[in-house]
Each structure stands twice: as structure tokens, then as C-alpha cells.
Amino acid sequence: KQEVTQIPAALSVPEGENLVLNCSFTDSAIYNLQWFRQDPGKGLTSLLLIQSSQREQTSGRLNASLDKSSGRSTLYIAASQPGDSATYLCAVPWGGNMLTFGGGTRLMVKP
Amino acid sequence: GAVVSQHPSRVICKSGTSVKIECRSLDFQATTMFWYRQFPKQSLMLMATSNEGSKATYEQGVEKDKFLINHASLTLSTLTVTSAHPEDSSFYICSARMVAAALYNEQFFGPGTRLTVL
């Protein structure tokens, strides 16, 4: 069974800081790993999808890395802004169909 | 592209009534749709996998007679919560997987439906 863990569960930083969110998974035989953002009471917005053959993906101020062998992924957010405040979720496919989600990291960026 | 909608976005109902939630892929065809439930401050838990033209596959602990899923077309799946009770109050989110993206399992998520059962 695939288990996904995210650390830290919550994070509060001042505006402008660079920060790293961590995601670990127990079964390294994955096709890809996806990072999502969820605002309170809203659905999920896909941020980045890293294929198993890739080491990292970048989108604007976001950079996600993947190390399959160690079962880890990190999401790096550069120059954080108050608008980045949200819950960040990582997820990996498991069992061919379903996505297994981590518990999320609740990020608060203070002005 | 790859937009998924849900309707309604919010519903309040009395205990014992049934509620239907629609999930639509607006600009692509989806052979598979997924229904998730999310309780406050918790992550998403998969309830069932819905395949067009066949019966849904339910996760362990999810009552199929209570949560009826119908995937009638490549763009529409519905979740009906039958005889709803207050403990069914939750945030329900659907996702859809493109036919072309099946190999990579990329899923696109709807905005969610907040169900409150009084």
C-alpha cells in the first residue's frame, strides 16, 4: 500500500522568504508525482506534474524535484507572497488508477 | 483546456433526503472519473472510481448503496448521496482523467461541492 507523508503539516513565513515543502512516499514504483494547491473551501489546482523519468519541473516561482529512489519530492517556492497562502498537496498514482494524497502542508505567508 | 465542473457548488438538505452531485469534463472526454471526500483540515480520500459504461469501483468502507455513482457518458458522472445524514456532511470533489492521458494518470479536479446535512 502506498503511503504519502508531507512535512511540515503547517508553515508560517514572512513575505519574501524562499521555502521548501517536503513529500515522501513509501512505494518508489510510481509513474509520476503531482503537486496541487488548495485554497480554503475550494477544489484542487494542479501546480506541477513530474514524470518518473524526470528529476524536476519548474513553473514560475515554483520548482518541484523528484528522487524516486529515496521516495522523496520537494516543492520549492521562491520569494513567497501572501497570495501563496494555501494548502499544498502532493499525490502519487497507486493501484493503476487512484491518487494517494499526502496530508498537505498549510502555508501562511505573512505580509 | 482540461476543465472540470461540479454542480451544485454548495447544497444544504434535510436528513433523510437524497442529493445528486454532477461532475462534468467540459472540454475533454474522460473514460474515468474519481470521487473524493474531504473532511475539514484533512486530505482527500478516494471514495470510488467511475468508469464510463460500467459499474463503479468503491473503496473499502464506502457503501455503494448509499453513494450511487452513474457514469453515463464520457463527460458526465453523478454521485447521489441517498438518505443523507449529518455525518455525510463533507466536501465532495471529483476528478477526471483524459482518455489520451490514461497512461500518465494525470487527473483534473473539479471545484468541489460542499454538502451540509441538517
Side-chain angles (χ1 to χ4, degrees), chain B residues 1-75:
Chain B
V3 177
V4 177
S5 70
Q6 279 184 243
H7 178 79
S9 59
R10 186 181 296 268
V11 57
I12 301 173
C13 69
K14 294 182 179 180
S15 185
T17 60
S18 294
V19 175
K20 180 184 284 188
I21 304 170
E22 292 186 349
C23 177
R24 293 182 184 271
S25 56
L26 298 185
D27 50 4
F28 65 98
Q29 292 184 328
T31 52
T32 306
M33 291 184 173
F34 304 87
W35 288 95
Y36 296 84
R37 180 165 54 184
Q38 185 179 34
F39 292 106
K41 295 189 177 180
Q42 294 187 24
S43 192
L44 279 72
M45 296 298 294
L46 180 68
M47 298 175 65
T49 302
S50 169
N51 293 296
E52 186 266 337
S54 64
K55 292 183 178 180
T57 303
Y58 291 81
E59 296 301 302
Q60 190 173 8
V62 179
E63 298 177 56
K64 63 179 180 180
D65 294 331
K66 181 168 185 63
F67 299 99
L68 301 178
I69 292 173
N70 183 20
H71 193 156
S73 74
L74 285 172
T75 59

Side-chain angles (χ1 to χ4, degrees), chain A residues 32 34 36 38 41-44 49 51 89 93 96-99 101-103, chain B residues 34 36 38 43-44 46 59 91 93 97 103-107 109-111 114:
Chain A
N32 57 54
Q34 205 164 353
F36 296 89
Q38 186 177 30
K42 304 293 184 181
L44 274 64
L49 178 122
Q51 301 296 347
L89 297 160
N97 273 318
M98 61 182 289
L99 281 180
F101 284 85
Chain B
F34 304 87
Y36 296 84
Q38 185 179 34
S43 192
L44 279 72
L46 180 68
E59 296 301 302
F91 193 54
I93 304 177
R97 188 172 70 189
L103 180 62
Y104 303 106
N105 200 51
E106 183 168 11
Q107 296 179 25
F109 285 79
R114 172 75 59 194

